Amino acid sequence: HRAGWPEIAARGGALLDPMCGSGTLVLEAALMAGDCAPGLLREYFGFLTWKHHSPDTWNSLRQQAQERRNVGLAALPPMYGYDQEARAIGAARSNAIRAGVDDVVQFRQQSLNKLTPCPLPESQAKPAGLIITNPPYGERMGEVEALRGLYRQLGERLRNEFDGWKAAIFTGTPALGPEIGMRAQRKHHFFNGSLPCELLH
């Protein structure tokens, strides 16, 4: 949401996570842009056994939410997740099935050094959209040093291949932000558990 995804999706812009892991960001973005009510796929809620619960009202609300979901998912822009690890892509595809969006998002095994914009419909003349990713964290000095090249490579691909796109990089290692080689227009500060993180725009 902080990356402006709802507005980008409404304009038909694509979404791409080049280091998607188990697919969390792509799947959450699909549910958000697809107008999917949280918990819609759940079978049971505690309030179903309340004394004054109205099954007819509840079923009507669920039906409305399902119809909104169907319309929303049918209008989703292209959404892709890439990762160099086959196991990560397998997990992402399994999670997409559980989330009910496996037919509207695509995951594929691909290394960062081959990153280019995802395929778009011919009607969309200029590729545009949002790159959003959560690179691996480096919590120890040796890991941080090993990640410098990854951040530099990400920056190189963004500069050379994604003119007109927006990028939002959620990093648990803010010290590596400058390695991207582009100055962030703005930053948001978050915590992932107890770990201070930054969302770089």
Side-chain angles (χ1 to χ4, degrees):
H1 192 271
R2 287 292 178 99
W5 169 238
E7 295 80 10
I8 293 170
R11 294 195 305 265
L15 181 132
L16 173 58
D17 183 348
M19 293 176 272
C20 70
S22 60
T24 302
L25 293 177
V26 177
L27 298 178
E28 291 289 345
L31 295 173
M32 181 186 294
D35 196 19
C36 301
L40 184 60
L41 301 182
R42 285 178 57 178
E43 294 294 327
Y44 180 78
F45 293 86
F47 60 76
L48 296 176
T49 59
W50 290 358
K51 280 188 177 181
H52 298 292
H53 171 67
S54 171
D56 290 341
T57 301
W58 172 241
N59 290 333
S60 175
L61 290 170
R62 279 186 66 96
Q63 182 60 37
Q64 291 174 35
Q66 185 63 53
E67 290 169 2
R68 286 177 56 172
R69 177 185 182 276
N70 293 343
V71 170
L73 292 182
L76 275 185
M79 303 189 69
Y80 289 82
Y82 304 154
D83 201 282
Q84 68 178 1
E85 300 293 336
R87 285 180 59 183
I89 293 302
R93 288 174 176 158
S94 295
N95 290 335
I97 291 170
R98 283 197 293 277
V101 295
D102 53 301
D103 55 344
V104 293
V105 299
Q106 297 185 48
F107 293 102
R108 76 176 184 215
Q109 187 177 1
Q110 179 177 292
S111 61
L112 185 61
N113 65 1
K114 296 181 179 177
L115 181 65
T116 56
C118 48
L120 297 171
E122 291 183 13
S123 60
Q124 193 165 335
K126 182 179 180 183
L130 175 66
I131 295 277
I132 188 165
T133 196
N134 181 10
Y137 295 178
E139 298 184 37
R140 293 183 290 275
M141 184 54 69
E143 294 171 339
V144 171
E145 291 304 312
L147 289 174
R148 288 189 190 280
L150 180 75
Y151 275 70
R152 289 172 185 156
Q153 189 172 69
L154 175 60
E156 184 269 330
R157 300 310 290 176
L158 292 177
R159 288 190 303 275
N160 294 337
E161 302 289 343
F162 289 89
D163 184 41
W165 286 61
K166 289 188 174 183
I169 301 167
F170 184 75
T171 176
T173 316
L176 291 176
E179 300 292 341
I180 297 169
M182 295 184 291
R183 187 168 61 185
Q185 295 174 338
R186 58 195 170 107
K187 301 177 183 180
H188 286 104
H189 298 272
F190 295 95
F191 279 88
N192 185 358
S194 62
L195 186 66
C197 299
E198 286 184 354
L199 179 63
L200 308 175
H201 302 273

